[in-house]
Amino acid sequence: MSVVLGCVADDFTGATDIAGLLARSGVKVSLRMGLPEEAPETCETSAFEVIALKSRTAPVAEAIAETRAALDWLKRAGAKRFFWKYCSTFDSTPEGNIGPVAEALMADLQTNQTIYCPAFPENGRSIFMGNLFVGEQPLAESPMKDHPLTPMRDSNLVRLLAHQVQGEVGLANRLCVAMGAEALKTRLAELRADGIAHVVVDAVANEDLYTIAEACRDMLLMTGGSAVAMPLPALYLADGTLSPYAEKVQKPVLPEGAIILSGSCSKMTRAQVAACLETVGGYQLDPLELAANGVDAARAWLAKQDPFASKLIYATTDPDGVRSAQDKLGPAKAGQIVEDALAQLAIDARDAGTRRFVVAGGETSGAVTKALKVSRLTIGSEIAPGVPWTYCESDGHEIALTLKSGNFGSETFFADALEKLNEN
């Protein structure tokens, strides 16, 4: 099928986020985990193609190279419009990777302007006068200020981006967006005439996203969080770019029983783990214990569990616990040990007969999907804004898999996910 929009995401949960919002249209969305090995000319494609990379915290040059390769695959698949998706909290270091990757994509597409809009009002992410808010808190005052890999110490996206790119950075503020799509188009044209290549666009409510999508729908490249891409399918259907007869999703029938694997230590995931432990059995992983003795104790615990019942294995802990492990092991090693353990436990659960997997945390999601050798996902129903169920194959078995960004979902997300999968 002809590709209408090609998207590249910088982590796996972010990829399911944008894929889930595009799938609200009812049109089949294909999510590919990592750069596809198959040539696009030889494989089945969907109207919306999303490629999930694990490049958010990779060295800048590596992130650029991987994303350019994904762009090339999508171009060869026939895509004419593209979207570079990053986190709604603009997770990045002063050096990148958001700005440098966007600038490289612009060069490859030979376009002289793009927008940056990580707003996601449904999940409490808004941009006002160029400043990103998480709920009512400026980004730099939110829990993101203490993120172990990408601590966000500045809330002003114009200033953050200016440190990352070679081109000039400007702002299309909320006053302009509130005047409608034509006013925003005019503002972007004025900035382009002044040589402004990178434009941060304010958004504080869902209607702003529709205005931005309408104004920017014909841009070769849009960048942002997933929410600004959400209105695009309806716009494409309205103008005939997307066929109303595009293929729809079919949900598989799977046995009962699920495993929840949580590596995220975000405030919301901590609340979700606590709520889940009230109703299901759980096992907590300790990075220091894993470093000393390996994952055998956790594997033994899992082997004793009913594969057709729900269970939770988690490394989720509070900031003091994170710091303690990182102080003794180093941030990279502490994270890698947990990822490796959860990946092995996912394999054990699958081999024991479990076919429903809920995974919390971007790095954890990457490790688990890689371990399960999942290369392509079909997007199913949404559990929470930006978090859908997906369907795929692992070692010849059909499975359901949801990949949740740490901060997404309500406190009852894990129970909500399993209930959603049981709906007709």
Side-chain angles (χ1 to χ4, degrees):
M1 181 174 183
S2 176
V3 179
V4 172
L5 181 70
C7 307
V8 185
D10 66 355
D11 83 338
F12 285 15
T13 56
T16 58
D17 175 7
I18 190 169
L21 294 188
L22 292 171
R24 286 183 180 181
S25 64
V27 174
K28 186 175 180 180
V29 179
S30 176
L31 171 56
R32 300 176 189 273
M33 312 309 284
L35 187 66
E37 295 182 0
E38 294 178 288
E41 300 86 355
T42 64
C43 62
E44 176 191 354
T45 57
S46 301
F48 299 111
E49 285 283 340
V50 182
I51 296 178
L53 302 179
K54 198 178 177 185
S55 60
R56 179 169 298 171
T57 57
V60 174
E62 180 181 319
I64 290 173
E66 288 186 359
T67 314
R68 291 181 68 193
L71 175 71
D72 179 68
W73 192 95
L74 292 167
K75 287 167 67 176
R76 289 188 289 123
K80 297 294 189 294
R81 298 179 181 89
F82 304 90
F83 195 99
W84 161 229
K85 194 277 174 194
Y86 40 81
C87 189
S88 60
T89 46
F90 212 73
D91 296 18
S92 193
T93 66
E95 296 77 28
N97 292 337
I98 292 172
V101 166
E103 210 155 44
L105 297 179
M106 291 172 70
D108 284 359
L109 292 169
Q110 298 183 329
T111 186
N112 58 9
Q113 190 181 70
T114 192
I115 64 160
Y116 298 77
C117 185
F120 198 155
E122 283 186 73
N123 278 335
R125 312 292 191 266
S126 58
I127 309 166
F128 183 70
M129 297 301 164
N131 293 279
L132 181 57
F133 289 80
V134 178
E136 295 182 350
Q137 292 180 307
L139 177 65
E141 298 175 23
S142 76
M144 283 301 300
K145 70 181 186 299
D146 297 320
H147 192 285
L149 299 178
T150 53
M152 302 306 295
R153 304 293 167 79
D154 192 347
S155 305
N156 188 281
L157 301 187
V158 176
R159 194 160 50 228
L160 282 167
L161 197 56
H163 290 298
Q164 297 186 15
V165 295
Q166 300 298 312
E168 295 294 319
V169 182
L171 172 67
N173 69 33
R174 178 54 166 59
L175 300 178
C176 172
V177 173
M179 293 171 65
E182 289 304 316
L184 179 54
K185 285 182 182 180
T186 299
R187 174 61 175 161
L188 292 171
E190 291 170 350
L191 291 169
R192 187 183 300 110
D194 289 338
I196 306 299
H198 308 275
V199 184
V200 174
V201 184
D202 279 358
V204 300
N206 267 5
E207 53 262 35
D208 296 334
L209 302 176
Y210 286 85
T211 296
I212 296 164
E214 173 65 34
C216 301
R217 57 187 291 183
D218 292 327
M219 276 187 163
L220 274 177
L221 174 69
M222 294 173 63
T223 91
S226 59
V228 75
M230 178 175 57
L232 293 175
L235 293 171
Y236 296 155
L237 281 166
D239 70 6
T241 302
L242 177 63
S243 168
Y245 305 107
E247 187 179 2
K248 305 299 188 291
V249 180
Q250 300 295 322
K251 184 169 77 171
V253 178
L254 299 170
E256 294 290 332
I259 186 165
I260 301 160
L261 300 166
S262 179
S264 168
C265 294
S266 73
K267 182 179 179 181
M268 179 53 74
T269 304
R270 295 199 304 273
Q272 290 164 344
V273 166
C276 186
L277 287 171
E278 295 179 4
T279 57
V280 306
Y283 185 98
Q284 185 169 23
L285 299 174
D286 180 347
L288 299 178
E289 174 67 20
L290 291 171
N293 300 310
V295 73
D296 286 350
R299 296 182 73 184
W301 179 87
L302 179 59
K304 296 176 183 177
Q305 308 307 306
D306 181 353
F308 304 111
S310 297
K311 73 283 296 180
L312 166 67
I313 300 179
Y314 61 104
T316 304
T317 187
D318 58 28
D320 288 340
V322 173
R323 280 192 291 271
S324 177
Q326 290 183 341
D327 287 346
K328 293 179 174 65
L329 300 173
K333 185 176 180 181
Q336 191 63 53
I337 285 172
V338 168
E339 289 175 34
D340 290 346
L342 290 170
Q344 179 59 60
L345 292 162
I347 294 172
D348 288 355
R350 180 202 64 196
D351 291 349
T354 298
R355 298 291 178 260
R356 305 174 184 214
F357 295 78
V358 181
V359 187
E363 300 301 314
T364 304
S365 295
V368 167
T369 52
K370 183 177 180 181
L372 294 177
K373 296 183 179 178
V374 172
S375 60
R376 185 186 183 193
L377 302 168
T378 297
I379 307 303
S381 56
E382 207 170 22
I383 304 159
V387 193
W389 273 108
T390 72
Y391 310 117
C392 55
E393 283 194 3
S394 175
D395 195 34
H397 303 288
E398 200 165 33
I399 66 171
L401 176 67
T402 190
L403 309 174
K404 185 193 84 73
S405 180
N407 289 303
F408 280 16
S410 69
E411 290 189 8
T412 59
F413 175 83
F414 295 138
D416 295 343
L418 301 181
E419 182 179 346
K420 188 73 174 179
L421 196 59
N422 287 329
E423 292 178 359
N424 291 328

